């Protein structure tokens, strides 16, 4: 299926806000809603589609023939770029970190999905991957580099931020806090750009530190936000049995699946902040479900190999 353009996904006046009943979590005094951006596409992460929307329009308007991008073994961005390529008949190439993955492709759900979407996968050794910003290094892998529209890892750029500023709609102005998980910061910057003066942004860094403030300052003038890495569970893609238990309990109660790398850490953080009394009494909080569900299978393989409890799908 090839759609004329990506607006197909976004015209539906934004994704729905689903109320999370807080009683079973022994929390009261607030209302919490989850914006179901994860429902934009059955496999692909909501915010990665948002980030790609204008980049893909820009690519289509350029003389470039194909998209070239980068990512690790479980990358939501790789999965999203591959899916968009398939939907829009754009050839895609993914430069993947780690040459050992070449042998493991069929047992890696993310890479297998990207491959099935028609993405050409090229594996880079880790030291070259670190230097991928240098043209000479890239040319070793892609001799005809000029023919490609290059999207950086994570996809953050002003066009990506513009796409993310469309996550919130007019109907969301009656919330007091807007929360999201923060990786590079592109998604949060887009959200900050669309906030009303009475709304506060709340970002949960899934990396160590809150250095994304620099990116936020680059792409947004709005400083009415709080960014914390307190609920990062030790860093990017780090996870323990407590987080797995939380994901499974949340699903049992709400029937909503969270992903272990981003949205679960945000939701765990929100509920902890509620219990600590961080939010104003009776306030309305909107959390963004940015998707990322395609990464669960890969995470479960890692949990299984460590004999840890797995995420129920
Ligand atoms: C990438 C991603 C994020 C973070 O987006 P950034 O723009 O890099 O901050 C949040 N949630 C999910 C599910 C993601 O895949």
């Amino acid at each position: 299926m090839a759609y004329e353009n990506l607006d197909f996904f976004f015209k539906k006046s934004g994704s729905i806000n689903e109320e999370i009943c807080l009683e079973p979590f022994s929390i009261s005094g607030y209302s919490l809603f989850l914006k179901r951006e994860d429902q934009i596409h059955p496999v692909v992460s909501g915010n990665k589609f948002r980030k790609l929307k204008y980049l893909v329009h820009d690519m289509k308007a350029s003389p470039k023939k194909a998209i070239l991008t980068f990512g690790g073994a479980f990358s939501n961005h790789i999965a999203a770029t591959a899916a968009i390529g398939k939907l829009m008949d754009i050839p895609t190439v993914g430069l993947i970190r780690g040459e050992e993955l070449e042998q493991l492709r069929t047992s890696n759900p993310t890479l297998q999905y990207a491959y099935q979407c028609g993405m050409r996968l090229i594996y880079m050794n880790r030291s070259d991957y670190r230097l991928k910003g240098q043209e000479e290094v890239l040319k070793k892998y892609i001799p005809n580099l000029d023919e490609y529209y290059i999207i950086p890892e994570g996809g953050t750029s002003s066009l990506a931020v513009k796409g993310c500023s469309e996550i919130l709609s007019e109907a969301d102005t009656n919330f007091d806090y807007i929360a999201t998980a923060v990786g590079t910061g592109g998604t949060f910057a887009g959200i900050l750009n669309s906030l009303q003066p009475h709304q506060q942004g709340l970002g949960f860094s899934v990396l160590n530190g809150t250095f994304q403030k620099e990116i936020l300052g680059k792409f947004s003038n709005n400083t009415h936000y709080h960014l914390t890495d307190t609920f990062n569970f030790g860093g990017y893609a780090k996870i323990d049995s407590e987080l797995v238990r939380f994901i499974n309990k949340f699903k049992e109660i709400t029937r909503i699946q969270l992903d272990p790398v981003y949205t679960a850490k945000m939701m765990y953080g929100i509920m902890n902040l509620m219990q600590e009394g961080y939010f104003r009494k009776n306030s309305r909080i909107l959390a963004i479900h940015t998707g990322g569900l395609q990464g669960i299978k890969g995470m479960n393989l890692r949990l299984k190999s460590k004999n840890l409890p797995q995420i129920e799908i």
Side-chain angles (χ1 to χ4, degrees):
M1 248 190 302
Y3 298 107
E4 272 297 299
N5 65 55
L6 276 177
D7 286 336
F8 175 82
F9 289 102
F10 301 103
K11 280 218 171 104
K12 300 169 282 178
S13 71
S15 32
I16 61 151
N17 297 336
E18 193 166 335
E19 181 154 23
I20 306 300
C21 182
L22 290 169
E23 250 177 61
F25 298 96
S26 311
I27 297 171
S28 62
Y30 311 103
S31 8
L32 174 63
F33 286 74
L34 195 52
K35 184 175 276 299
R36 300 297 305 275
E37 288 279 293
D38 57 310
Q39 293 180 332
I40 286 180
H41 183 278
V43 180
V44 176
S45 173
N47 78 324
K48 294 300 183 288
F49 257 26
R50 295 276 182 196
K51 291 178 86 166
L52 286 167
K53 177 182 170 184
Y54 289 105
L55 286 167
V56 168
H57 281 305
D58 190 46
M59 181 268 167
K60 278 277 194 189
S62 80
K64 307 285 183 185
K65 301 262 179 325
I67 290 175
L68 174 67
T69 196
F70 312 86
F74 302 103
S75 167
N76 292 330
H77 171 66
I78 286 289
T81 307
I84 280 194
K86 185 177 178 199
L87 286 167
M88 298 187 63
D89 270 337
I90 300 171
T92 56
V93 176
L95 282 173
I96 307 301
R97 181 181 64 232
E99 53 201 340
E100 76 284 359
L101 288 166
E102 183 150 19
Q103 270 74 47
L104 300 175
R105 189 200 83 221
T106 50
S107 57
N108 177 298
T110 301
L111 298 180
Q112 185 62 7
Y113 174 75
Y115 179 81
Q116 281 166 353
C117 287
M119 181 177 259
R120 195 174 135 223
L121 300 172
I122 298 176
Y123 300 85
M124 280 179 112
N125 67 52
R126 280 156 205 271
S127 49
D128 278 352
Y129 193 85
R130 272 190 294 276
L131 301 174
K132 63 188 182 303
Q134 300 177 12
E135 215 169 270
E136 317 80 74
V137 178
L138 273 189
K139 280 200 165 144
K140 278 195 340 200
Y141 295 83
I142 314 274
N144 50 344
L145 196 60
D146 297 345
E147 292 170 16
Y148 289 88
Y149 186 90
I150 298 177
I151 299 179
E153 189 177 25
T156 288
S157 63
S158 53
L159 287 175
V161 169
K162 181 179 171 195
C164 292
S165 71
E166 296 175 354
I167 292 174
L168 295 179
S169 70
E170 259 172 53
D172 300 322
T173 52
N174 61 351
F175 287 97
D176 305 301
Y177 299 88
I178 310 290
T180 188
V182 177
T184 61
T187 303
F188 196 32
I191 288 171
L192 290 178
N193 284 340
S194 60
L195 291 187
Q196 302 294 319
H198 70 274
Q199 296 181 307
Q200 189 203 305
L202 182 55
F204 293 91
S205 173
V206 301
L207 307 167
N208 283 318
T210 54
F211 55 90
Q212 300 96 333
K213 284 180 179 167
E214 203 178 310
I215 298 281
L216 297 175
K218 189 171 160 201
F219 291 111
S220 175
N221 296 323
N222 188 351
T223 54
H224 190 199
Y225 70 85
H226 180 65
L227 177 65
T228 176
D229 72 345
T230 306
F231 306 100
N232 71 3
F233 286 78
Y236 185 72
K238 297 269 181 3
I239 165 170
D240 64 12
S241 327
E242 187 182 346
L243 191 64
V244 174
R245 264 197 306 277
F246 176 76
I247 293 170
N248 290 339
K249 178 183 169 190
F250 189 85
K251 178 149 186 214
E252 199 185 310
I253 292 171
T254 65
R255 296 170 181 270
I256 299 172
Q257 181 89 62
L258 298 174
D259 87 291
V261 180
Y262 295 99
T263 52
K265 292 179 181 181
M266 167 193 70
M267 191 50 73
Y268 186 93
I270 290 173
M271 290 196 174
N272 270 266
L273 291 180
M274 284 177 167
Q275 275 150 345
E276 289 169 15
Y278 168 85
F279 299 99
R280 280 190 308 280
K281 246 185 129 205
N282 297 321
S283 52
R284 291 167 54 81
I285 298 136
L286 179 64
I288 315 297
H289 194 319
T290 40
L293 302 179
Q294 70 83 29
I296 297 177
K297 283 188 200 146
M299 181 61 84
N300 271 344
L301 293 176
R302 274 169 58 192
L303 290 167
K304 193 173 169 193
S305 72
K306 292 183 192 166
N307 267 323
L308 291 167
Q310 291 173 49
I311 298 162
E312 277 150 39
I313 305 185

